[in-house]
Amino acid sequence: MSFINRKDVSKLIGFSSDTLRYYERIGVIPPIKRDKNGYRDYRPVDLDWLFLVRCLKDAGLSMEALIEFAKLNQSGENEPAQKAILQEQLEKLNQKSAEMKRTRNLLEYKIDTFEDHIAKFKSGEMDADHVDELWKMDKFQVHKQK
Amino acid sequence: MSFINRKDVSKLIGFSSDTLRYYERIGVIPPIKRDKNGYRDYRPVDLDWLFLVRCLKDAGLSMEALIEFAKLNQSGENEPAQKAILQEQLEKLNQKSAEMKRTRNLLEYKIDTFEDHIAKFKSGEMDADHVDELWKMDKFQVHKQK
DNA sequence: ATAAACCCTGCACCTAACTCCTTAGCAAGA
DNA sequence: TCTTGCTAAGGAGTTAGGTGCAGGGTTTAT
């Protein structure tokens, strides 16, 4: 007689039953209400939370951050703190995006110059100039030493 | 008398000495030449490879993919295969970027509507309509069931 | 009334990717 | 020569994030 059972939730959100139970245990999702048999009875509010968890996890948040967020949410009047977490994660996401963009540039460069690059690589002719060329692609801000 | 020693490489690329040794062992980087003492002697060609590994790893490639790539590179005439791997990873990177963009939208939405959202969440008033609202944000293409 | 198909719990186990530990060799300065 | 600080190798330990399994209960269909 569950409203939505474990299996349906798995299908909807894409976490396995085991994973859902694991998340509940470590505190990523709040304790789910049970029906008369002790079976989990997921409500829309739970699905909403799981939806958010799914997105944030896919975006690369750690379980730790998600647990912190879940705790704040369950323990009352910490809306500014929660909002701060979301904003912080948004900031991280933006940084990550920028990082990925740079890596994409590098990949494109590597693909474009592949023949040349590999030829040098194999013959051992690749020298400091080539490495310099890569440093200049702005991924690292280190001082090359003599 | 190393050209560039382990510690310098750590500083330059940002992998710890242990990690460098680990990578060499599992085949992410080729066997590094040694000096008369048996100490590793990193050459520009090695740094170039490490640079690429650093970027691809940061972009989320698994060690497995990197090992495959490294093997192809060491074992001769597989340039098309290597190029294919890079292109495949570029494709994955693009997908991931799109995914992150969607999640960013969700986060922004959540932050904007936070007060309202949390109020509903706490009072348990959040209902199927709200979940619908989220489904519509295009992250999932599932059929909601009755 | 028995089987199929769900659900429950606790706990052991797993993979990836490191990270640390121990024991030991070489090397350059006080 | 002694100490400090680098290096080496092999292998055990750690962390994150699950996954599987045994042993049991319920519900529904046949």
Side-chain angles (χ1 to χ4, degrees):
Chain A
M1 291 298 140
S2 283
F3 182 73
I4 302 175
N5 68 12
R6 216 172 56 159
K7 214 179 172 194
D8 289 337
V9 174
S10 286
K11 274 183 209 142
L12 278 170
I13 311 280
F15 292 133
S16 77
S17 302
D18 276 329
T19 299
L20 287 171
R21 193 156 62 85
Y22 169 68
Y23 281 1
E24 196 176 331
R25 183 157 55 78
I26 64 172
V28 165
I29 46 180
I32 302 299
K33 297 220 173 67
R34 308 307 181 94
D35 66 12
K36 63 178 169 54
N37 296 317
Y39 292 4
R40 283 172 183 79
D41 180 10
Y42 291 89
R43 303 303 180 76
V45 61
D46 300 317
L47 289 183
D48 186 61
W49 184 258
L50 279 167
F51 181 94
L52 184 56
V53 168
R54 167 98 262 175
C55 293
L56 294 177
K57 205 186 85 67
D58 287 352
L61 261 82
S62 66
M63 291 294 106
E64 210 183 345
L66 288 174
I67 291 168
E68 190 192 356
F69 188 33
K71 271 183 191 154
L72 285 175
N73 192 44
Q74 285 169 65
S75 72
E77 304 306 314
N78 274 307
E79 295 174 21
Q82 291 174 68
K83 202 164 177 172
I85 289 181
L86 288 185
Q87 245 145 3
E88 187 191 317
Q89 295 307 330
L90 182 60
E91 183 47 38
K92 276 189 189 165
L93 210 58
N94 286 333
Q95 282 171 21
K96 225 169 176 175
S97 271
E99 167 80 23
M100 282 171 75
K101 199 172 173 183
R102 283 201 298 279
T103 300
R104 202 168 56 205
N105 289 342
L106 176 67
L107 267 184
E108 273 161 4
Y109 166 83
K110 285 279 177 185
I111 291 168
D112 285 352
T113 65
F114 200 83
E115 285 74 15
D116 177 54
H117 172 77
I118 288 296
K120 280 189 188 172
F121 203 94
K122 278 185 186 153
S123 66
E125 277 165 27
M126 186 167 289
D127 61 3
D129 287 347
H130 188 79
V131 177
D132 272 344
E133 197 178 341
L134 294 174
W135 296 136
K136 280 179 201 132
M137 294 191 75
D138 106 344
K139 179 152 170 112
F140 299 108
Q141 287 78 36
V142 295
H143 285 292
K144 256 202 84 188
Q145 51 199 20
K146 198 63 210 292
Chain B
M1 289 301 138
S2 284
F3 184 73
I4 302 176
N5 68 12
R6 216 173 56 160
K7 216 180 170 192
D8 289 337
V9 174
S10 287
K11 275 184 209 140
L12 278 170
I13 311 279
F15 292 133
S16 77
S17 302
D18 274 329
T19 300
L20 286 171
R21 193 157 62 86
Y22 169 68
Y23 282 1
E24 196 175 331
R25 183 157 54 78
I26 64 172
V28 165
I29 47 180
I32 302 299
K33 298 221 173 67
R34 309 307 182 93
D35 66 13
K36 63 178 170 52
N37 296 317
Y39 293 3
R40 284 172 184 79
D41 180 11
Y42 292 89
R43 303 303 178 77
V45 62
D46 300 316
L47 289 183
D48 186 59
W49 184 258
L50 279 167
F51 181 95
L52 183 55
V53 168
R54 168 96 264 173
C55 291
L56 294 176
K57 206 187 84 64
D58 287 352
L61 260 81
S62 67
M63 290 297 104
E64 210 183 345
L66 288 174
I67 291 169
E68 189 191 357
F69 188 34
K71 272 183 190 154
L72 285 174
N73 191 44
Q74 284 169 64
S75 71
E77 304 305 314
N78 274 305
E79 296 175 21
Q82 291 173 69
K83 203 164 177 171
I85 289 181
L86 288 185
Q87 245 145 2
E88 188 190 316
Q89 296 306 331
L90 182 59
E91 184 48 38
K92 276 189 189 166
L93 210 58
N94 286 333
Q95 283 171 19
K96 225 169 175 174
S97 272
E99 166 81 23
M100 282 172 75
K101 199 172 173 184
R102 283 202 298 280
T103 300
R104 202 168 57 206
N105 289 341
L106 176 66
L107 266 186
E108 273 162 4
Y109 166 83
K110 285 278 177 184
I111 290 168
D112 286 351
T113 64
F114 200 83
E115 285 75 14
D116 177 53
H117 173 78
I118 288 297
K120 278 189 190 172
F121 202 94
K122 278 185 187 153
S123 65
E125 278 165 26
M126 188 167 289
D127 62 3
D129 287 347
H130 187 80
V131 177
D132 272 343
E133 198 178 339
L134 294 174
W135 297 135
K136 279 179 203 134
M137 293 190 78
D138 105 345
K139 178 150 171 116
F140 298 108
Q141 287 79 37
V142 295
H143 286 293
K144 255 201 84 185
Q145 51 198 24
K146 196 66 211 293

